[in-house]
Amino acid sequence: YLGLQIGDYHVIGFMGGWNGLLSAPFGRGLGIGGNLTQDFSDIDWSAAQQSGAVDGAFESSVGVLLYQMGVAALIPLGFTAYVGFRAWLLHAQTGNLLQGVAGFGMLVILANGIFQEEALFSPLALGLLLTLAGLIFGSEARRKIA
């Protein structure tokens, strides 16, 4: 709400993705929308701030996924949330802080993906924590077998 009131670019980009999902629930295809498209340089940001959304999806990972993939975006987003919650629950059972960092970090980055395009698509952000979670789950599985 506050982001819409002040005309924050990331919130406006997310709202563009949300509006795109509502107008085309099955998406538009990968590569349509996002900061690397040709349309990005043609955006009239003052008009977008006045309307509360941009035509397309920019500056928001979740918004871009919703715009491009439609409801199918819930698959990678849901998978990431599932892995994060699973790592957090494992931390709650074992008290291992590394498991807590992986779980909480993934959930924070997923929430940050609403407001930042680089959050989900940067290998050093979500990719690194997903790799860590994979190592944690593998280690836990080997521990249970031994």
Side-chain angles (χ1 to χ4, degrees):
Y1 176 78
L2 181 63
L4 286 174
Q5 295 300 314
I6 64 172
D8 182 72
Y9 296 131
H10 299 96
V11 175
I12 291 170
F14 173 73
M15 292 308 296
W18 180 257
N19 293 339
L21 171 70
L22 296 177
S23 66
F26 295 111
R28 288 169 172 74
L30 296 177
I32 309 296
N35 289 1
L36 298 178
T37 60
Q38 291 177 339
D39 298 341
F40 184 73
S41 60
D42 299 331
I43 297 173
D44 182 2
W45 286 105
S46 358
Q49 285 177 318
Q50 294 299 318
S51 68
V54 68
D55 186 27
F58 304 97
E59 295 293 334
S60 166
S61 297
V62 174
V64 170
L65 280 174
L66 292 172
Y67 188 80
Q68 291 179 354
M69 298 176 67
V71 293
L74 298 177
I75 295 169
L77 295 172
F79 173 77
T80 304
Y82 171 75
V83 171
F85 279 120
R86 181 130 183 256
W88 184 256
L89 290 176
L90 190 59
H91 159 69
Q93 291 173 351
T94 64
N96 185 332
L97 293 178
L98 192 57
Q99 296 165 346
V101 166
F104 185 71
M106 272 188 280
L107 297 174
V108 166
I109 289 174
L110 190 59
N112 186 40
I114 296 172
F115 305 109
Q116 191 70 32
E117 186 160 15
E118 296 82 8
L120 299 183
F121 302 138
S122 170
L124 295 177
L126 186 62
L128 185 64
L129 286 178
L130 281 169
T131 302
L132 177 62
L135 292 171
I136 287 170
F137 293 148
S139 173
E140 188 64 23
R142 284 190 302 279
R143 188 186 67 75
K144 286 182 179 178
I145 293 173

